[in-house]
Amino acid sequence: MKTIIAPTDLSSISINAVNYAANMAVSINAKLILVHVIRLPVMAAEVSVSKAIYNDLLDEAENEMAELCNKILLATDDKILVESITIFGFFQQQIKAICKLNKPFAVVMATKGAGAASHFLFGSNTIFAAKNLHCPVLVIPQNEKFSGIKNVALASDLKDVSETIHFDYIKNLLTIFNARIDIVCVTKNDDVVHKREMAEAISFQNQLDKFHPQLHFVTSQNIENGILEFAKQNETDLLVVVPKKHGLLESLFHKSQSKTFILHPHIPMLFIAE
């Protein structure tokens, strides 16, 4: 059975992403694991915190998570298995450990949470997850509802395709949702890409031959805008991006760009580690 992990800070925005994850889990018969990481107040690092305070924080969070689990089971007519993990610590460390143990099909996260006053700053953790987790991370826009995935677009710079793209995962994704796929290459100089990268483009298409991928070259001085505009015009349900250390897509994950690209998507975005 596949597993979907959905971190939440219990804010309305993150719970919307949890509901998206739950409905996705129903559609692919997956188990859903909800994760809530409690980060102690700053003062806890400077003064000792009594066991009673720890217990109170944990009891409160566990009660809220249990209530959320019950709501999900009710909304999905008990069609999926739902578990919850409530734990103290730092989100980045805990989510890595949980993913290593459970090997999820995807980690489904909101773009942001309750803000600076929440137990952990959800936005920065979403950026961390998209860039660093060694499992697919699906970022859900505010108020987005799951209604199936039929049109997938994969953004690529057509460089080192065989070394950077997890084709088995992409094939599995397309098969599960019976989806079609567009391969989108955005460049600032269209002629250069056509001459230099056509061999990689043919390799890309051959790998996904049974899904009849369509290859699109888009010219734009802004890589981010070019990708998102294509997705909008083609009614894309899911945009797949591979965070790369080198190449055109690398610029999307610089600090200034990632805040816009990851935290303000117009459609669900799936980040698959290189």
Side-chain angles (χ1 to χ4, degrees):
M1 176 180 286
K2 292 179 173 59
T3 298
I4 294 175
I5 293 176
T8 176
D9 64 356
L10 298 171
S11 65
S12 60
I13 295 176
S14 72
I15 289 176
N16 179 74
V18 166
N19 290 329
Y20 185 103
N23 289 323
M24 175 182 280
V26 171
S27 73
I28 65 174
N29 190 31
K31 177 173 71 174
L32 178 64
I33 299 178
L34 308 182
V35 177
H36 179 59
V37 180
I38 306 172
R39 184 172 181 177
L40 288 173
V42 176
M43 66 176 184
E46 302 174 354
V47 298
S48 60
V49 177
S50 70
K51 186 176 181 179
I53 293 178
Y54 277 99
N55 289 338
D56 287 345
L57 288 172
L58 184 60
D59 287 345
E60 180 182 358
E62 286 183 336
N63 288 336
E64 290 185 77
M65 289 291 281
E67 182 179 352
L68 179 58
C69 286
N70 289 334
K71 288 181 178 178
I72 290 172
L73 289 171
L74 181 63
T76 59
D77 294 326
D78 290 326
K79 292 180 179 178
I80 57 173
L81 177 63
V82 181
E83 299 179 3
S84 68
I85 297 174
T86 304
I87 191 169
F88 285 102
F90 293 96
F91 176 83
Q92 296 178 3
Q93 296 173 345
Q94 297 294 355
I95 196 64
K96 272 190 171 182
I98 293 169
C99 288
K100 184 177 181 179
L101 179 63
N102 292 279
K103 297 177 174 58
F105 174 75
V107 175
V108 180
M109 298 186 68
T111 56
K112 57 185 178 180
S118 65
H119 284 304
F120 64 85
L121 308 182
F122 214 79
S124 61
N125 288 324
T126 300
I127 293 175
F128 168 84
K131 294 169 66 175
N132 296 286
L133 288 186
H134 295 295
C135 59
V137 176
L138 179 55
V139 180
I140 307 302
Q142 185 175 357
N143 300 322
E144 184 76 17
K145 308 300 180 186
F146 179 81
S147 59
I149 296 173
K150 293 300 180 185
N151 296 319
V152 175
L154 192 157
S156 175
D157 55 12
L158 297 180
K159 293 183 179 179
D160 303 319
V161 168
S162 61
E163 290 82 14
T164 58
I165 304 295
H166 289 277
F167 283 106
D168 287 343
Y169 183 87
I170 298 297
K171 292 174 185 177
N172 190 26
L173 177 77
L174 296 174
T175 300
I176 289 172
F177 292 107
N178 191 27
R180 58 177 298 276
I181 185 168
D182 292 302
I183 302 167
V184 186
C185 179
V186 179
T187 177
K188 296 179 181 180
N189 188 332
D190 194 42
D191 292 334
V192 173
V193 170
H194 274 292
K195 293 176 181 178
R196 187 182 61 190
E197 311 299 347
M198 189 53 67
E200 292 280 7
I202 294 173
S203 174
F204 213 137
Q205 289 184 304
N206 288 340
Q207 284 279 2
L208 299 173
D209 182 59
K210 65 176 290 187
F211 301 100
H212 309 293
Q214 297 296 310
L215 179 63
H216 306 265
F217 289 95
V218 178
T219 303
S220 176
Q221 293 303 306
N222 184 294
I223 302 299
E224 171 195 342
N225 289 344
I227 293 172
L228 295 179
E229 184 61 27
F230 174 90
K232 180 179 179 181
Q233 290 180 358
N234 290 272
E235 299 182 343
T236 300
D237 300 313
L238 179 67
L239 175 61
V240 180
V241 179
V242 179
K244 299 181 69 173
K245 296 178 181 178
H246 304 286
L248 290 174
L249 295 183
E250 177 188 15
S251 63
L252 299 179
F253 297 91
H254 289 164
K255 186 175 181 180
S256 59
Q257 291 290 335
S258 62
K259 287 185 178 180
T260 299
F261 194 67
I262 300 176
L263 298 185
H264 302 285
H266 302 297
I267 60 172
M269 299 179 63
L270 182 68
F271 296 89
I272 306 177
E274 182 179 3

